[in-house]
């Protein structure tokens, strides 16, 4: 009979169709003759036939009387069993069926959705909304499932005609369905909603409270299961259905945030908690404040391989990119923050999630798409969010540390080329953010540029490799954007490697080539000149040595590696005035806190390559040299370089027509300072004294004729007095010995220069001490061959007198043999004998010995003479000991 009724409804006249519809609707919905269970049994047995009738009634749009009964009939059937209707839809919506049929089915489904919004709709107390969800899913799925554009376009057009009231009705259906659905059904619906929301972004598919409630339910259930076996924090299983469901719902929530759906803070924090757990943070919990809660999370593990979980990073990126602003409490982001409200972007609540993920994730094992999403999100965070606000200002340093950890990926070979390209975009965004934060920029510039330098050097400082080009562009952008903020001074405040200056030099050369005119300064100075002027200007403004020692060292490297030629006259004059000012300023600084060598090297390098303009520069350099030698430790290389440059520059200037010849005062400054130091007996300057005298001796040995004879004799005489009177208290250190040896070398060179010096040496009223004789012997033995060795040999008798006098002093009181002083004297006597033997070996083995007038003894004869002089006293000492 039901088959006949179905045939009458589908094939009969409109009147017959209406009668059949009313009969079936009354039978299943309002019949008082059958119980609810009997109706359900009837529908279960005849579900397919009944569904065909109900579906046919939705095709008769011209029969208005069907509008009042068709929905109740369909809903009652779906409440009992949705499967027959789902099968019917599957048959008609299959891609193998004619597209015209699918088009017709789509329009019928749309009519069902319109009918759902019927006010006061009630099916005898049944909960009917969950049963409509398959119909809603079937309609909207056509937006992406159907292979015909006509069907998809029709579905899209119809969907856009839905009113907010229709969407609200369907939202209620989704929410009720989620509450009663199984885990698998929830997964299916959440996946569907995630696909639907981007198509209709203005539609809030689920209320925030319901979404947060479901997330909390599954999170608590799964955590309870985990805690039965372990007390650790929640760690999601990438393969579990619960994880996939939570990931789908979190994705949906992030999409809703991205599309402007303003969530209440409580719900948003629940989404955040679920997100950090899914990502892989192993210590996640909600901290309850007085009025505001916040989410704490640490210890990121490996990123889940679940593709749905990985898609959360795409959702996070979109949520951070939202332009929707709202009032948020800073207390939801950091402990002990103000619980008042501040204006901020809705996605700012998730900023700390991205910062911690980027800082802790291992990009070498992270999937490519996840890496791209993270880096894109970081660019969005840097460019779109206000980190000067109370909401985010506590995360500024964490943000820049995360950027630095990303920048370091440029040095890893297993990171893809595309990712490295994106990293430079991240760095560029960070630099723009830093323009408003000078305090943070001070230390961060150095870190970012050090990584960039390594990348450029790895691929070639001047190469056309894409990463090298991007690295130089990044470097150049920093210089351009912060040119008004003394960027070079900021960079030079930190230790810089030679590679850094190589890259800086290439960047500056590129900038000069790209400029219309290389000279951009007011005094004809180009960009390379501006570096020198900026750093020197800042040095003059500083008042403590700690502030300038590193910048001056870096400037010295810069001048040496990058820029030491082509200085304009104005800059050379400025360098000279800086030297003069520093000569006065360093007089108040502690010797241990400042390195005076750097300015000397800069002066020497600039003068070397600008000899024609070096007159005033060397004049000021001589003032600074005197001040530095009087107070600080100065290297021999610095002194020697400046001396040689001064000599060559003076010679060139003297040959230039029309240029008045000025005396070269630097050689005099060296000997004058040596005399002052020797007279002052300043132990702290032993290293400087050594460097100074070694430089003088080296020049004298090469017979360059730089130093005047009288000045050398005067300094050597002061050195002799210093050695005679100087007594080391406590430990005899290496720098004491080297200083004393340098003085002895000066005396030997003075002997070579003028024989009067030996007369001064041997004419001492009380004679030379054995220690001084030992130093003179050592100086001769370790220096180049000269007649001074033979001259010294001829003074053996004078040494013998002092030697025997010391031995006699020890032997007068036998108890003295056990004293420390006697031990030192005995050691000196022994060492002196050995040095005399070495001197004999040297002067008797020289091929040029025949040219030495008055010396005709061989080695054996010389040794016999030596032993005849010293053995008697030494023998007595051995007998007493």
């Amino acid at each position: 009979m039901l088959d006949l009724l179905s045939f009458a409804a589908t094939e009969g006249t409109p009147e017959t169709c209406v009668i059949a519809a009313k009969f079936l609707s009354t039978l299943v919905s309002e019949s008082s003759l059958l119980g609810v269970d009997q109706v359900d049994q009837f529908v279960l047995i005849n579900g397919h036939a009944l569904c065909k009738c109900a579906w046919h009634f939705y095709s008769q749009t011209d029969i208005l009387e069907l509008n009042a009964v068709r929905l109740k009939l369909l809903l009652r059937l779906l409440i009992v069993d949705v499967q027959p209707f789902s099968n019917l839809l599957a048959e008609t919506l299959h891609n193998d069926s004619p597209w015209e049929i699918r088009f017709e089915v789509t329009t019928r489904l749309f009519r069902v959705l319109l009918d759902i919004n019927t006010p006061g709709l009630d099916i005898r107390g049944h909960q009917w909304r969950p049963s409509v969800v398959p119909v809603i899913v079937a309609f909207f799925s056509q937006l992406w499932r159907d292979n015909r554009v006509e069907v998809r376009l029709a579905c899209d057009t119809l969907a856009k005609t839905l009113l907010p009231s229709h969407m609200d009705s369907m939202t209620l259906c989704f929410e009720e369905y989620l509450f009663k659905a199984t885990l698998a059904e929830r997964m299916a619906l959440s996946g569907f909603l995630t696909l639907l929301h981007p198509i209709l972004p203005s539609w809030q598919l689920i209320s925030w409270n319901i979404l947060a409630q479901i997330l909390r339910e599954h999170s608590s259930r799964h955590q309870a299961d985990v805690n039965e076996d372990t007390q650790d924090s929640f760690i999601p299983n990438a393969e579990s259905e619960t994880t996939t469901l939570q990931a789908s719902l979190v994705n949906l929530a992030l999409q809703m945030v991205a599309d402007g759906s303003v969530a209440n803070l409580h719900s948003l924090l629940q989404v955040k908690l679920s997100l950090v757990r899914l990502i892989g943070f192993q210590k996640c919990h909600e901290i309850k404040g007085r009025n505001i809660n916040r989410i704490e999370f640490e210890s990121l593990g490996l990123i889940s391989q679940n593709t749905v979980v990985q898609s959360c990073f795409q959702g996070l990126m979109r949520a951070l990119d939202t332009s929707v602003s709202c009032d948020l409490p800073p207390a939801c982001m950091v402990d002990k923050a103000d619980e008042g409200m501040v204006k901020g972007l809705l996605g700012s609540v998730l900023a700390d999630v991205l910062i911690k993920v980027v800082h802790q994730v291992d990009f070498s094992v992270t999937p490519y798409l996840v890496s791209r999403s993270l880096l894109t999100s970081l660019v969005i965070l840097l460019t779109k969010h206000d980190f000067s606000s109370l909401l985010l200002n506590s995360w500024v340093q964490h943000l820049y540390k995360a950027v630095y950890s990303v920048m370091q990926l440029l040095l890893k070979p297993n990171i893809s080329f595309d990712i490295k390209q994106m990293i430079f975009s991240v760095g560029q965004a960070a630099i723009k953010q830093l323009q408003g934060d000078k305090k943070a920029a001070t230390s961060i510039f150095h870190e970012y540029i050090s990584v960039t330098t390594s990348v450029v050097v790895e691929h070639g400082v001047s190469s056309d490799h894409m990463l090298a080009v991007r690295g130089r562009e990044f470097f150049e952008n920093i210089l351009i954007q912060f040119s008004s903020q003394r960027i070079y001074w900021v960079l030079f405040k930190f230790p810089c490697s030679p590679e850094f200056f190589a890259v800086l030099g290439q960047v500056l050369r590129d900038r000069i080539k790209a400029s219309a005119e290389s000279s951009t300064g007011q005094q004809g100075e180009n960009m390379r000149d501006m570096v020198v002027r900026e750093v020197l200007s800042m040095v003059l403004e500083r008042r403590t040595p700690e502030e300038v020692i590193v910048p001056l060292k870096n400037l010295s490297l810069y001048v040496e590696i990058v820029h030491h030629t082509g200085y304009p006259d104005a800059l050379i004059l400025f360098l000279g005035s800086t030297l003069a000012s520093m000569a006065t300023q360093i007089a108040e600084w502690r010797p241990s806190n400042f390195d005076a060598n750097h300015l000397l090297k800069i002066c020497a390098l600039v003068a070397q390559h600008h000899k024609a303009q070096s007159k005033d520069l060397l004049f000021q350099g001589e003032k600074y040299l005197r001040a530095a030698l009087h107070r600080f430790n100065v290297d021999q290389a610095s002194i020697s370089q400046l001396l040689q440059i001064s000599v060559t520059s003076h010679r060139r200037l003297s040959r230039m027509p029309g240029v008045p010849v000025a005396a070269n005062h630097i050689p005099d400054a060296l000997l004058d300072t040596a005399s002052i130091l020797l007279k002052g007996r300043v132990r702290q300057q032993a290293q400087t004294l050594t460097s100074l005298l070694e430089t003088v001796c080296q020049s004298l040995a090469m017979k360059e004729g730089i130093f005047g004879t009288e000045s050398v004799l005067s300094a050597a005489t002061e050195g002799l007095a210093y050695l005679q009177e100087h007594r080391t208290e406590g430990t005899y250190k290496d720098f004491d010995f080297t200083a004393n040896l340098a003085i002895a070398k000066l005396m030997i060179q003075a002997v070579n220069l003028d024989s009067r010096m030996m007369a001064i040496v041997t004419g001492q009223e009380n004679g030379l001490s054995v220690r001084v004789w030992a130093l003179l012997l050592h100086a001769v033995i370790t220096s180049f061959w000269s007649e001074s060795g033979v001259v010294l040999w001829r003074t053996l008798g004078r040494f013998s007198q002092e030697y025997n006098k010391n031995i006699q002093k020890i032997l007068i009181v036998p108890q003295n043999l056990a004293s420390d002083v006697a031990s030192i004297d005995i050691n000196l006597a022994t060492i002196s004998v050995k040095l005399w033997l070495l001197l004999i070996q040297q002067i008797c083995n020289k091929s040029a010995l025949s040219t030495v007038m008055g010396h005709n003894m061989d080695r054996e004869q010389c040794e016999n003479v030596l032993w005849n002089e010293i053995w008697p006293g030494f023998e007595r000492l051995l007998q007493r000991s």
Side-chain angles (χ1 to χ4, degrees):
M1 184 182 71
L2 188 60
D3 291 337
L4 293 174
L5 186 62
S6 176
F7 179 80
T10 56
E11 302 295 336
T13 63
E15 292 78 6
T16 305
C17 182
V18 171
I19 294 171
K22 290 182 177 180
F23 172 77
L24 291 175
S25 177
T26 303
L27 178 65
V28 299
S29 301
E30 302 175 9
S31 175
S32 59
L33 301 176
L34 297 175
V36 175
D37 294 339
Q38 291 175 316
V39 173
D40 292 347
Q41 187 67 25
F42 173 74
V43 172
L44 286 172
I45 295 173
N46 303 287
H48 182 70
L50 292 172
C51 286
K52 285 182 65 177
C53 293
W55 187 235
H56 174 72
F57 297 151
Y58 270 94
S59 67
Q60 304 300 312
T61 57
D62 53 341
I63 306 177
L64 299 179
E65 296 170 283
L66 292 176
N67 295 346
V69 296
R70 61 188 181 186
L71 180 61
K72 287 188 176 181
L73 172 61
L74 179 60
L75 291 179
R76 188 63 181 88
L77 299 177
L78 295 176
I79 289 171
V80 176
D81 186 11
V82 74
Q83 192 60 45
F85 189 72
S86 297
N87 293 338
L88 180 62
L89 292 178
E91 293 175 3
T92 54
L93 291 176
H94 195 276
N95 280 329
D96 292 338
S97 63
W99 72 269
E100 293 86 353
I101 295 178
R102 300 198 303 275
F103 186 95
E104 170 62 23
V105 171
T106 301
T107 58
R108 291 195 206 181
L109 289 172
F110 182 71
R111 296 185 196 115
V112 177
L113 301 187
L114 296 178
D115 287 348
I116 292 173
N117 197 36
T118 303
L121 184 61
D122 180 49
I123 310 298
R124 295 184 62 183
H126 289 283
Q127 192 176 9
W128 57 269
R129 287 190 174 87
S131 61
V132 184
V133 169
V135 180
I136 302 173
V137 170
F139 172 76
F140 286 107
S141 296
Q142 293 301 103
L143 288 169
W144 59 83
R145 281 184 181 174
D146 203 284
N147 59 8
R148 292 287 295 201
V149 66
E150 293 88 349
V151 178
R152 295 196 303 272
L153 182 60
C155 185
D156 180 64
T157 303
L158 293 172
K160 290 179 179 178
T161 63
L162 290 171
L163 299 177
S165 59
H166 297 131
M167 295 179 179
D168 292 342
S169 297
M170 288 184 280
T171 295
L172 291 174
C173 295
F174 293 143
E175 292 175 352
E176 292 185 13
Y177 181 87
L178 287 172
F179 273 117
K180 65 174 294 186
T182 63
L183 180 60
E185 290 171 340
R186 285 182 172 182
M187 287 176 57
L189 180 59
S190 62
F192 162 77
L193 296 178
T194 304
L195 294 173
L196 177 60
H197 189 268
I199 300 174
L200 299 172
S202 62
W203 180 8
Q204 185 173 332
L205 299 172
I206 305 179
S207 68
W208 283 106
N209 290 332
I210 299 299
L211 186 59
Q213 186 176 345
I214 296 174
L215 285 172
R216 191 180 305 109
E217 173 190 340
H218 284 281
S219 177
S220 302
R221 184 185 306 168
H222 199 156
Q223 188 171 4
D225 294 339
V226 171
N227 289 339
E228 289 181 1
D229 302 321
T230 177
Q231 295 301 315
D232 292 340
S233 297
F234 172 72
I235 305 174
N237 178 3
E239 302 301 327
S240 70
E241 293 181 344
T242 302
T243 299
T244 303
L245 172 61
Q246 286 185 312
S248 296
L249 293 176
V250 168
N251 255 326
L252 177 61
L254 294 174
Q255 288 181 12
M256 288 162 52
V257 170
D259 291 321
S261 177
V262 180
N264 61 76
L265 183 60
H266 180 72
S267 300
L268 193 56
L269 291 178
Q270 180 59 49
V271 172
K272 181 178 179 179
L273 178 60
S274 299
L275 174 63
V276 295
R277 285 173 170 169
L278 289 167
I279 287 174
F281 285 97
Q282 300 176 10
K283 297 178 181 179
C284 313
H285 50 277
E286 186 174 8
I287 304 296
K288 297 186 180 296
R290 184 175 57 185
N291 298 315
I292 306 297
N293 297 346
R294 74 177 190 281
I295 307 300
E296 291 284 349
F297 50 98
E298 293 295 339
S299 304
L300 179 64
L302 293 176
I303 299 296
S304 171
Q305 296 301 310
N306 189 317
T307 55
V308 182
V309 173
Q310 291 180 6
S311 65
C312 291
F313 291 101
Q314 183 74 16
L316 176 61
M317 179 186 71
R318 293 193 61 216
L320 290 170
D321 198 28
T322 182
S323 300
V324 177
S325 60
C326 60
D327 292 328
L328 294 168
C332 72
M333 294 294 291
V334 65
D335 188 19
K336 298 180 181 179
D338 186 7
E339 293 193 354
M341 295 293 179
V342 297
K343 204 72 172 177
L345 296 179
L346 185 59
S348 296
V349 178
L350 304 172
D352 55 338
V353 178
L354 176 65
I355 292 172
K356 288 190 175 183
V357 170
V358 169
H359 190 59
Q360 300 181 33
V361 72
D362 184 358
F363 278 90
S364 61
V365 296
T366 302
Y368 172 78
L369 292 178
V370 174
S371 298
R372 281 190 62 89
S373 296
L374 288 174
L375 295 178
T376 305
S377 301
L378 196 54
V379 173
I380 293 170
L381 189 65
L382 287 162
T383 55
K384 201 163 189 176
H385 292 254
D386 182 12
F387 279 84
S388 63
S389 68
L390 292 176
L391 185 65
L392 295 177
N393 60 2
S394 299
W395 289 95
V396 171
Q397 291 300 324
H398 301 283
L399 172 65
Y400 293 131
K401 287 180 180 179
V403 175
Y404 179 58
S405 67
V406 168
M407 294 285 291
Q408 289 179 309
L409 297 176
L410 292 168
L411 306 177
K412 294 187 177 181
N414 55 347
I415 301 298
S416 71
F417 183 83
D418 187 33
I419 295 297
K420 289 184 177 181
Q421 290 272 60
M422 293 188 66
I423 291 172
F424 279 114
S425 300
V426 172
Q428 188 60 49
I431 294 303
K432 290 181 180 179
Q433 180 72 241
L434 280 169
Q435 284 185 298
D437 192 350
K438 295 181 181 179
K439 183 178 180 181
T442 301
S443 61
I444 291 171
F445 280 152
H446 171 68
E447 294 176 345
Y448 290 2
I449 287 183
S450 64
V451 175
T452 306
T453 298
S454 300
V455 175
V456 176
V457 170
E458 178 184 355
H459 297 287
V461 173
S462 59
S463 75
D464 294 331
H465 190 281
M466 183 58 69
L467 291 180
V469 173
R470 285 297 303 272
R472 293 196 299 269
E473 289 176 352
F474 177 70
F475 203 136
E476 182 179 358
N477 287 335
I478 292 178
L479 300 182
I480 294 173
Q481 293 182 30
F482 293 88
S483 58
S484 62
Q485 300 180 19
R486 300 191 181 277
I487 177 62
Y488 300 110
W489 171 255
V490 172
L491 294 176
F492 280 27
K493 286 170 67 175
F494 298 89
C496 300
S497 64
E499 291 78 12
F500 164 82
F501 291 106
V503 177
L504 175 60
Q506 184 62 41
V507 170
L508 292 177
R509 283 191 292 272
D510 292 343
R511 288 190 64 192
I512 291 174
K513 289 179 181 178
S515 301
E517 296 181 0
S518 60
S519 297
T520 58
Q522 295 180 355
Q523 298 173 317
E525 297 176 3
N526 60 33
M527 298 170 187
R528 287 177 293 187
D529 300 328
M530 293 176 186
V531 178
V532 180
R533 181 176 288 276
E534 178 180 310
V535 176
L536 290 177
S537 300
M538 294 300 294
V539 166
L540 291 175
E541 295 178 10
R542 304 284 86 83
R543 290 294 176 263
T544 61
E546 292 80 7
E547 294 179 282
V548 302
I549 184 169
V550 175
L552 284 178
K553 179 180 180 181
N554 287 327
L555 183 60
S556 174
L557 287 171
Y558 171 81
V559 172
E560 178 182 357
I561 298 173
V562 179
H563 184 40
H564 45 258
T565 60
Y567 280 51
D569 293 344
L571 185 58
I572 295 177
L573 289 174
F574 180 69
L575 175 57
S577 65
T578 301
L579 289 169
S581 299
M582 291 298 292
T584 304
Q585 188 168 332
I586 63 176
E588 303 174 0
W589 291 350
R590 293 171 59 89
S592 59
N593 294 345
F594 180 68
D595 189 345
N597 293 284
H598 304 309
L599 276 174
L600 290 175
K601 292 178 181 177
I602 294 171
C603 176
L605 282 168
V606 175
Q608 178 183 359
H609 294 88
H610 304 81
K611 293 183 176 66
Q613 299 87 20
S614 63
K615 177 182 175 181
D616 293 334
L617 177 61
L618 290 173
F619 178 74
Q620 303 297 346
E622 182 252 335
K623 293 181 181 179
Y624 177 80
L625 176 63
R626 288 179 182 271
L629 291 173
H630 287 173
R631 191 167 181 81
F632 301 95
N633 291 324
V634 183
D635 297 337
Q636 180 183 350
S638 301
I639 301 173
S640 179
Q641 184 181 21
L642 185 61
L643 175 63
Q644 295 301 321
I645 297 305
S646 68
V647 172
T648 55
S649 296
H650 180 263
R651 289 172 182 170
R652 177 169 179 177
L653 288 171
S654 64
R655 292 194 298 265
M656 294 178 64
V659 178
V661 179
N664 182 12
H665 296 288
I666 289 182
D668 294 336
L670 297 183
L671 291 178
D672 291 347
T673 304
S675 297
I676 292 172
L677 294 177
L678 291 170
K679 290 178 181 178
R681 317 294 195 264
V682 184
R683 284 189 55 200
Q684 292 82 346
Q685 298 306 317
Q687 296 181 35
T688 298
L689 181 61
T690 302
S691 301
L692 195 159
L693 295 181
E694 289 284 358
T695 301
V696 174
C697 291
Q698 183 179 11
S699 176
L700 291 173
M702 297 178 68
K703 302 184 184 303
E704 294 176 332
I706 298 175
F707 299 97
T709 301
E710 296 301 325
S711 298
V712 173
L713 290 178
S714 175
T717 304
E718 295 292 343
L720 176 59
Y722 178 85
L723 292 180
Q724 281 286 80
E725 299 175 10
H726 182 67
R727 292 291 183 269
T728 303
E729 298 178 1
T731 306
Y732 191 62
K733 298 180 180 179
D734 288 343
F735 62 79
D736 290 317
F737 173 75
T738 54
N740 291 339
L741 184 59
I743 296 172
K745 288 181 179 180
L746 177 64
M747 294 167 60
I748 294 299
Q749 292 298 336
V751 170
N752 291 336
L753 187 64
D754 194 319
S755 59
R756 288 179 295 169
M757 186 64 210
M758 183 52 71
I760 296 172
V761 171
T762 57
Q764 295 293 307
E765 182 178 352
N766 296 322
L768 294 182
S769 66
V770 176
R771 184 175 66 87
V772 176
W773 279 108
L775 288 168
L776 290 173
L777 288 166
H778 193 292
V780 170
I781 293 169
T782 56
S783 63
F784 295 106
W785 166 250
S786 66
E787 294 184 3
S788 57
V790 177
V791 174
L792 192 61
W793 164 253
R794 290 171 181 165
T795 63
L796 176 61
R798 301 302 297 269
F799 165 76
S800 176
Q801 294 175 11
E802 187 65 26
Y803 171 83
N804 288 316
K805 188 188 300 182
N806 273 15
I807 296 297
Q808 188 62 32
K809 189 188 304 182
I810 298 172
L811 295 176
I812 290 175
V813 182
Q815 291 80 4
N816 286 346
L817 291 173
S819 67
D820 292 337
V821 175
S823 177
I824 293 173
D825 289 340
I826 293 171
N827 285 336
L828 278 174
T830 304
I831 291 170
S832 299
V833 172
K834 292 180 179 180
L835 289 171
W836 277 108
L837 291 172
L838 289 172
L839 177 64
I840 291 170
Q841 181 181 353
Q842 184 186 72
I843 64 176
C844 293
N845 286 343
K846 291 295 181 179
S847 60
L849 186 60
S850 59
T851 63
V852 179
M853 297 294 295
H855 185 79
N856 52 11
M857 293 188 294
D858 59 15
R859 178 174 178 179
E860 182 177 356
Q861 291 173 325
C862 290
E863 289 178 350
N864 289 335
V865 172
L866 174 64
W867 287 116
N868 288 335
E869 292 285 345
I870 67 172
W871 179 251
F874 198 71
E875 184 180 22
R876 291 194 302 270
L877 182 63
L878 291 176
Q879 290 174 352
R880 291 288 188 91
S881 60

